[in-house]
Amino acid sequence: MNADTQTPSLHLGDIAPDFVADTTEGKFDFHEWLGNSWCVFFSHPKDFTPVCTTELGMAARLKTEFDKRNAKLIALSVESVSSHKEWIKDINEIQRTNLNFPIIGDENSYIAHLYGMIHPRANDTFTVRTVFIIDPNKKIRMMMTYPAATGRNFDEILRVLDAIQLTDQYSVATPANWNQGQDCVILPSITDAATLTKLFPKGYREVKPYLRFTPQPGSNPSK
């Protein structure tokens, strides 16, 4: 069996694999730690690397925004917890923050392989920049994979989380480049006039029978 076949294939809607991990905030069971929260789970190629340092600092600065959305942050690198703790000192100093979420120690790469975070054709040793959004039912709702040299856009991760949560709560989808407060798209499956009036009291604009825009329902979590 080669390295490619050892990497499991996860898909949207799959239950996020459970595991027990040592982290910078102690040892815990992943699903138990998640509880009824959403989760942004993201991996880093290696400790004491420049792009990762900026990413973890940015995530720490945005943690209050994720908190507003009932979303926990957790990171992973295939290094030891003791290494992570030393690295956090640098992150806090350089990024002028206080890293306030756990980093998983995964020296044997077990969790990295469990989640398909190691891509052998890119690098057979270190994780690429993978991001998972996991919902309170432990289902994977979003997956992104960045190359090792490209830093992630955490505003985009927040935007996707907002869009998923909005769709879960209301019968809307989000159009291209949507941001908080902008018009949404009514799901094509809703055609009954009475239902449309009930669900979208702000009204809607029909461009085509399958393309109808309505003001964003609900409140904006970023405020």
Side-chain angles (χ1 to χ4, degrees):
M1 181 180 290
N2 60 34
D4 287 338
T5 59
Q6 292 175 348
T7 300
S9 179
L10 294 174
H11 300 91
L12 296 182
D14 286 351
I15 298 297
D18 196 12
F19 55 82
V20 175
D22 287 315
T23 81
T24 52
E25 295 186 3
K27 187 172 185 176
F28 57 61
D29 175 282
F30 183 54
H31 280 192
E32 183 178 322
W33 175 81
L34 284 178
N36 294 317
S37 299
W38 290 74
C39 178
V40 176
F41 180 23
F42 57 106
S43 60
H44 294 276
K46 195 177 181 183
D47 291 1
F48 299 100
T49 50
V51 176
C52 302
T53 298
T54 64
E55 288 185 322
L56 284 166
M58 178 59 69
R61 288 196 294 275
L62 287 173
K63 185 175 180 294
T64 54
E65 290 299 321
F66 288 99
D67 289 344
K68 290 177 186 177
R69 294 154 173 85
N70 188 33
K72 294 181 176 181
L73 295 171
I74 188 166
L76 176 145
S77 174
V78 287
E79 304 271 4
S80 67
V81 169
S82 60
S83 173
H84 295 343
K85 288 181 176 179
E86 289 302 310
W87 183 28
I88 286 171
K89 296 176 184 176
D90 282 1
I91 294 166
N92 289 340
E93 175 191 349
I94 296 165
Q95 297 295 297
R96 294 185 176 139
T97 189
N98 180 27
L99 199 129
N100 41 18
F101 55 87
I103 307 177
I104 296 168
D106 190 31
E107 290 180 272
N108 62 6
S109 303
Y110 170 75
I111 300 166
H113 282 293
L114 188 65
Y115 275 79
M117 293 172 165
I118 293 178
H119 291 206
R121 292 192 182 96
N123 189 312
D124 61 2
T125 304
F126 300 118
T127 56
V128 293
R129 297 186 193 285
T130 306
V131 186
F132 293 92
I133 291 179
I134 300 166
D135 71 17
N137 294 317
K138 315 301 184 289
K139 286 186 178 181
I140 295 171
R141 301 295 297 277
M142 187 279 289
M143 298 184 291
M144 292 184 190
T145 300
Y146 291 66
T150 303
R152 281 165 282 217
N153 184 328
F154 281 84
D155 289 331
E156 169 62 6
I157 295 169
L158 272 171
R159 190 190 77 89
V160 175
L161 178 60
D162 282 343
I164 294 170
Q165 292 183 341
L166 189 67
T167 298
D168 280 3
Q169 190 170 0
Y170 303 98
S171 299
V172 294
T174 51
N177 290 9
W178 173 87
N179 282 291
Q180 275 290 348
Q182 296 179 347
D183 286 356
C184 300
V185 174
I186 297 173
L187 298 180
S189 58
I190 303 171
T191 58
D192 177 70
T195 302
L196 286 166
T197 300
K198 179 180 178 181
L199 292 178
F200 308 108
K202 298 177 183 179
Y204 65 93
R205 172 172 54 92
E206 182 175 301
V207 179
K208 293 286 185 181
Y210 60 84
L211 180 56
R212 298 161 297 171
F213 291 93
T214 187
Q216 177 180 323
S219 61
N220 185 337
S222 64
K223 293 181 179 179

